[in-house]
Amino acid sequence: MNWRHIQLIYHREMRDQLRDRRTLFTIAVLPLLLYPLIGLLMMQVAQFNREYSVRIRVVGHENWPQAHPLLDPQRKLSLPTSVTEPARLIEFSTESWPVDGEGLDGLRRTSSSAVQLDLVDAVLIVKPEFQSHMQRRLASAAIKVEASNAAEIATELVGSKVVAEQATAPFTDDGLELVVNLARDHSQLAQSRLQRVLDSWQQSWISQELVLAGVSPQLVEPLVLSQTDVSPVSVRRAMLWSKVLPFVMLVWALTGAFYPAIDLCAGEKERGTLETLLSSPARRNEIVWGKLFTVATFSISSALLNLFSMHATAGLIVKQLALAGSSQAADALGPLPIHALGWLVLLLLPMAAFFSALALAVAALARSTKEGQYYLMPLLLVTLPLVSLPMIPSLSLNLGTSLVPVSGADFLVRSLIEGRYAEALMHLPVVVMVTIACCLLSIRWAIRQFESESVMFRESDRWNLQSWLHHLWRDRGMTASPAEAILCGLIILVAMFFAQFMAGSSIADWNAVVRMTVAVQIGLILMPCLLMALFLTRSLRHALRIHHVQPSHLVAAICLGVTLHPTYTALGNAIRYVYSLGDQIQAALAHFSQIIYAQPLWAVLLLLAVLPAMCEELTFRGFIFGGLVKQGGALRAILITSLFFGFTHTILQQSIAATIMGVMLGLIAWRTGGVLCCIAVHVINNVLSIGLAWMPANHYELPPSLSWCLRVENDTWLYQPQWHTISVGIALVMIAILFNRSPETQRVVQVEAL
């Protein structure tokens, strides 16, 4: 590359962007104004936030135990000062128990009408049997007093199972009934406040009865737990910011990269300056690097301005809270240490490069700036889960999370901010490798977009359904187009998503397994690609890539399927070690295994080994791969089909293993030019996986002739360590045979030309 060209393009694009008032306002001015205005608005709105009193009607208040009443004659709570705050916000009204024979049902109807008409927020019905129930509880305790000492009395009154259950749901069946309208906020608030009052009354009643029984109420007081916080004050104050600020910073880094990218791609198409730039002596990759540096500059600037503006605004609000007496909130939102800002800036640099290349590649697809703006929301929806994952409290930096793009870098920075340097240093190599791989792939995608004439010179036109359908039928090719291939994969994923909820836990026997497998493999995976191949292509055989295969390639594929299986098994064990299976998934898999182990081996292999291999390979390495591999998109075809193939497996651990296996199958499909070798490898892998589990489950003895490659351990057939090593060597030889000449996809291109 000529860095002089890149520098000239960078200066050109920077001058153009700095002349754009909309870009300057979005990137520079808006962050400086947004957060102070939001803070001012929040402080103004906070003045409206006050607690309102709730209205509670007590029907049958005379039925309350007179020895320890709930309300005094002035309809105020006769409780200790510990419940002053909730009592202050409750307006009680009393009503005697009806004596006209209305009954409990009529009282419920009357109370429900009062609540629905908003005359009161809740109605507490005190039934006549409430006082007698409390007396029976005391009589039961008094009987036990005769055979218990004072400590045992306390245990009976407070620590018994009955009292413990009543503490969790104190007055459900004890003669009390609450009528509320939970669709109204005030009614929900009345319920929660009344519950606190009743809990306080119950504790007060228990203390009084303990005193009458000669037992000190201190026996039932909760334990006081003193704690020592060993975290530094700076780290404790940075805890909240370490979760919030990376999220805001990364979102703004993506947003700050996208709008300049649209202007540098779709905007130049509209202005007619893109042709001049592409005809310059600069090569396409130099143009991309120049534009990439420009987009990354605006991305970093936007994220930094938002970061410092948000932190400064929050610091002023924290000081205001401290002056207002909210010391707890001020401590929780303390200032972010300087070193934490440094770690955040370090996180921003690779993420800005990744988001800039991603935005540049996506923006290159747009025909106009208006169309490019529509692409921002899908890009945000894909990125937000990765950015939001570190905000989950139960997750932390480990080998599993460090392998997740974007999230792993965020987890690493959180560990550095919180001072866990040993943990961060342990996972630093993995995070760096994943981040570099993501950046390189996104940059490579952006370069490929600029190298494609069909992408660069697409013109914006109005869409017409009739002409579009006519175009699809008239311009059908021997294989699908890239857009049709991606559409097929998306249809399959959406169908698989809804099928998970429709299936539920309906796998009860072998017949259910057969129905489910056939419906998924044929109905949801194979059928969409067959229909699209019939209507959108001119040759079903070419669309599914069912081509003639060299015998040497087929033999190499069979040997490769056998020799790759030990490595695939080890990979699956490693994935389950990093991402452990949940108890519910393990139980479901155990139930499924019991069903299939009880069936003949030939039936299990036919249903779960041969059928999935044929359907999945014809779909992913056939129709979808054939559409994506056009115009030299081999890497695109391998990666996208691997992701589609992985996501069709509903369990995370299986999805990861299937995605990695899909890369190898994609390489085989690319080099052999067809799908038959992929089917052979897939069938052999499934047969070996099922066979090695089915045989010991049915108490078959390991044949002595296989002891050189298999061993028995805990009633499980495992590969011998030496076979792992030998199989890797043989697999490399088979891969060399498959890669000994140029890929056979050229034949498909020639057929398309005819």
Side-chain angles (χ1 to χ4, degrees), residues 484-485 487-488 491 527-537 623:
E484 293 167 353
L487 178 61
C488 180
I491 291 174
M527 191 58 65
C529 92
L530 287 180
L531 293 176
M532 295 184 73
L534 287 173
F535 290 101
L536 301 180
T537 65
F623 181 80

Side-chain angles (χ1 to χ4, degrees), residues 66-116:
Q66 298 301 316
H68 199 73
L70 178 67
L71 302 176
D72 58 17
Q74 286 76 33
R75 293 183 298 183
K76 303 294 183 181
L77 285 174
S78 58
L79 290 176
T81 56
S82 60
V83 292
T84 302
E85 185 65 22
R88 182 181 62 84
L89 300 173
I90 300 178
E91 297 178 1
F92 283 100
S93 62
T94 59
E95 183 177 312
S96 300
W97 189 264
V99 296
D100 56 357
E102 182 180 9
L104 182 59
D105 293 337
L107 183 60
R108 288 171 178 166
R109 288 192 297 269
T110 304
S111 302
S112 300
S113 300
V115 173
Q116 291 176 354

Side-chain angles (χ1 to χ4, degrees), residues 166-491:
Q166 292 169 347
T168 57
F171 298 101
T172 55
D173 298 317
D174 290 350
L176 293 179
E177 185 173 335
L178 185 65
V179 179
V180 293
N181 182 8
L182 297 181
R184 293 180 54 248
D185 293 336
H186 279 199
S187 193
Q188 294 182 16
L189 192 60
Q191 180 192 34
S192 62
R193 290 178 181 174
L194 181 61
Q195 185 65 56
R196 291 163 58 189
V197 168
L198 295 181
D199 291 342
S200 299
W201 179 88
Q202 184 187 27
Q203 294 178 5
S204 178
W205 174 76
I206 290 175
S207 299
Q208 176 178 323
E209 297 303 326
L210 287 174
V211 171
L212 295 177
V215 179
S216 174
Q218 295 180 352
L219 291 176
V220 298
E221 291 183 357
L223 296 176
V224 178
L225 180 64
S226 61
Q227 65 180 17
T228 302
D229 191 358
V230 298
S231 62
V233 178
S234 59
V235 174
R236 189 167 59 251
R237 289 181 174 179
M239 282 288 293
L240 178 62
W241 293 121
S242 66
K243 297 180 180 180
V244 176
L245 288 183
F247 174 82
V248 176
M249 185 183 68
L250 293 179
V251 170
W252 273 105
L254 175 60
T255 307
F258 195 78
Y259 287 106
I262 293 176
D263 187 67
L264 294 180
C265 295
E268 288 212 60
K269 291 180 182 179
E270 291 181 333
R271 294 189 295 267
T273 58
L274 184 61
E275 292 85 351
T276 304
L277 180 61
L278 294 177
S279 61
S280 66
R283 292 186 293 182
R284 297 295 175 92
N285 59 344
E286 296 170 352
I287 295 174
V288 172
W289 279 104
K291 291 180 177 290
L292 178 63
F293 286 142
T294 304
V295 175
T297 300
F298 282 94
S299 175
I300 294 173
S301 302
S302 176
L304 288 178
L305 288 174
N306 278 275
L307 175 65
F308 289 114
S309 178
M310 180 180 180
H311 188 255
T313 304
L316 295 176
I317 294 178
V318 166
K319 290 182 179 180
Q320 186 67 28
L321 292 175
L323 294 176
S326 302
S327 58
Q328 185 177 1
D331 291 338
L333 298 174
L336 189 66
I338 299 299
H339 76 279
L341 292 175
W343 293 125
L344 288 174
V345 173
L346 184 63
L347 167 68
L348 176 62
L349 296 178
M351 291 299 102
F354 173 57
F355 290 149
S356 299
L358 200 62
L360 199 62
V362 174
L365 296 172
R367 298 181 178 92
S368 62
T369 55
K370 182 179 180 181
E371 179 184 344
Q373 292 174 357
Y374 295 148
Y375 295 158
L376 177 60
M377 185 55 65
L379 190 60
L380 277 174
L381 292 178
V382 174
T383 309
L384 278 179
L386 300 177
V387 179
S388 305
L389 191 64
M391 300 184 68
I392 301 177
S394 59
L395 296 180
S396 61
L397 181 64
N398 52 47
L399 182 58
T401 55
S402 62
L403 291 170
V404 182
V406 181
S407 300
D410 200 343
F411 278 115
L412 178 68
V413 170
R414 275 186 51 188
S415 299
L416 293 172
I417 292 176
E418 296 169 6
R420 301 194 300 269
Y421 298 110
E423 176 186 277
L425 185 62
M426 182 186 305
H427 299 94
L428 177 63
V430 178
V431 175
V432 170
M433 287 190 297
V434 172
T435 304
I436 292 176
C438 292
C439 292
L440 293 178
L441 287 175
S442 59
I443 293 172
R444 178 59 182 166
W445 185 27
I447 294 175
R448 290 298 302 271
Q449 294 289 81
F450 274 78
E451 291 175 346
S452 175
E453 300 294 334
S454 61
V455 173
M456 287 291 98
F457 298 105
R458 288 194 304 170
E459 297 181 356
S460 179
D461 52 0
R462 293 185 177 275
W463 183 79
N464 182 272
L465 178 60
Q466 184 177 359
S467 61
W468 179 70
L469 293 176
H470 178 69
H471 166 74
L472 285 179
W473 182 261
R474 182 193 62 190
D475 299 335
R476 291 177 300 158
M478 302 300 291
T479 59
S481 65
E484 293 167 353
I486 293 178
L487 178 61
C488 180
L490 294 177
I491 291 174

Side-chain angles (χ1 to χ4, degrees), residues 647-724:
F647 284 139
T648 54
H649 297 73
T650 57
I651 300 176
L652 173 64
Q653 293 76 8
Q654 294 180 350
S655 297
I656 298 174
T659 301
I660 298 174
M661 187 65 178
V663 173
M664 176 56 66
L665 293 172
L667 290 172
I668 297 173
W670 173 48
R671 302 304 295 190
T672 61
V675 74
L676 297 181
C677 289
C678 298
I679 294 177
V681 174
H682 199 157
V683 168
I684 292 172
N685 182 79
N686 290 350
V687 167
L688 291 176
S689 297
I690 295 174
L692 291 179
W694 188 91
M695 299 293 283
N698 286 272
H699 310 291
Y700 279 83
E701 296 291 337
L702 179 65
S705 58
L706 297 178
S707 60
W708 61 275
C709 64
L710 294 174
R711 73 182 191 275
V712 179
E713 183 177 319
N714 297 328
D715 296 332
T716 304
W717 288 11
L718 302 175
Y719 285 109
Q720 294 282 9
Q722 61 268 21
W723 175 236
H724 276 280

